[in-house]
Amino acid sequence: AVGTEMKLSGLIFSSLIVAVASARSMTPMASIAAARLLGKRTPGRLVLLNHPVFKFGALAMGVGELFGDKMKTAPDRTVFLGLLARVASAGIAGAALAPRGREQAGAVVAVATAVPLAYVTLAARKRAIEGIGQTRSGLIEDTLVVAAGLAIVALAVKPGSRF
């Protein structure tokens, strides 16, 4: 049990970012892109994260998702494409936030919990919609999720590190 505990302890940020991905699929990638644009280095090494198209694309998709979620026609996060986006985002973010050399383990931890947690966050959002409406509940969820994504990435990146 101690060996397993030590192996998982280094994956805390990979585990936490899944909660963000479960609610907003693009926010983990947008948070990492923002850190990369500020010259910060994530613990896990993924060449994809260095490409300018990825950085600006992830930011644009993150912002777009925040607006799109408020639409009455927005599908549930548990439709196939929504789950696929969450799995992909969680996997990439989980790998990026894992310690160097443990990227695959970080991705596996994140991917394994992305789908079940999407159902949990959807149930919570539906309860909030019943109580305070779609737009207000979405704005509150956005605030919490974006803040959590930025905080997790800020804690995971190496202080003062640059490329």
Side-chain angles (χ1 to χ4, degrees):
V2 173
T4 303
E5 187 177 309
M6 287 175 48
K7 286 181 182 177
L8 291 177
S9 67
L11 300 175
I12 188 72
F13 299 118
S14 299
S15 301
L16 292 173
I17 202 67
V18 178
V20 174
S22 72
R24 295 289 178 276
S25 61
M26 296 297 116
T27 300
M29 304 310 301
S31 299
I32 290 170
R36 289 289 178 123
L37 286 167
L38 292 172
K40 302 297 182 181
R41 185 170 45 115
T42 54
R45 183 166 172 79
L46 294 174
V47 175
L48 169 73
L49 300 177
N50 295 329
H51 199 282
V53 170
F54 166 80
K55 292 176 199 175
F56 291 108
L59 285 174
M61 290 172 62
V63 170
E65 182 181 36
L66 295 177
F67 285 106
D69 179 66
K70 308 310 163 293
M71 297 171 54
K72 297 270 186 228
T73 58
D76 283 348
R77 61 194 71 180
T78 56
V79 299
F80 176 75
L81 289 178
L83 290 175
L84 184 62
R86 279 161 177 72
V87 165
S89 177
I92 293 168
L97 300 179
R100 181 81 37 117
R102 308 251 346 261
E103 293 90 349
Q104 187 175 11
V108 168
V109 166
V111 167
T113 54
V115 171
L117 205 50
Y119 284 92
V120 172
T121 59
L122 177 61
R125 174 73 186 277
K126 285 183 175 182
R127 281 193 302 274
I129 288 171
E130 289 174 9
I132 60 174
Q134 182 171 355
T135 302
R136 190 180 299 168
S137 66
L139 291 172
I140 291 168
E141 187 178 39
D142 286 348
T143 301
L144 294 172
V145 169
V146 170
L150 292 173
I152 292 164
V153 171
L155 291 169
V157 297
K158 298 181 189 291
S161 64
R162 296 202 173 262
F163 288 105

